[in-house]
């Protein structure tokens, strides 16, 4: 898929494809980038109060990573998913 096709997909589908591919291929670099991006994406999507909790609780970050394709958070993380999936068209 090219970037234009990826941009037209819902954030939840981008998330599902990117995370599934990263897990299946052991791409911990992408997963770590996702975890690092979640606090800023939460703040950008109006959920700034969750940032402090996430930074102090790794389990919260892992939980967020698994559901980070939904709603405003998914939309805030859309560029990360599109960039990753564009690099891995087989995902």
């Amino acid at each position: 898929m090219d970037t234009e096709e990826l941009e037209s997909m819902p954030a939840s589908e981008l998330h599902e494809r990117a995370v599934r591919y990263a897990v299946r291929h052991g791409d911990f670099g992408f997963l770590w980038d996702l975890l690092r991006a979640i606090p800023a994406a939460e703040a950008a999507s109006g959920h700034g109060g969750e940032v402090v909790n996430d930074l102090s609780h790794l389990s919260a970050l892992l939980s967020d990573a698994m559901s980070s394709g939904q709603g405003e958070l998914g939309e805030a993380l859309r560029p990360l998913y599109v960039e990753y999936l564009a690099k891995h068209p087989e995902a």
Side-chain angles (χ1 to χ4, degrees), residues 12-86:
S12 59
E13 188 173 342
L14 291 168
H15 163 81
E16 193 65 35
R17 290 174 67 123
V19 170
R20 184 177 57 238
Y21 182 86
V23 167
R24 189 172 49 232
H25 290 88
D27 189 347
F28 297 108
F30 171 76
L31 296 171
W32 181 246
D33 289 344
L34 175 60
L35 290 174
R36 289 185 8 218
I38 287 172
E42 284 181 333
S45 63
H47 299 100
E50 294 182 35
V51 174
V52 173
N53 290 335
D54 286 350
L55 292 175
S56 63
H57 302 308
L58 180 58
S59 63
L61 279 174
L62 293 173
S63 175
D64 283 349
M66 297 315 293
S67 64
S68 62
Q70 303 299 315
E72 294 169 343
L73 180 57
E75 290 302 323
L77 292 167
R78 171 184 285 282
L80 183 68
Y81 298 134
V82 169
E83 179 183 354
Y84 183 72
L85 291 168

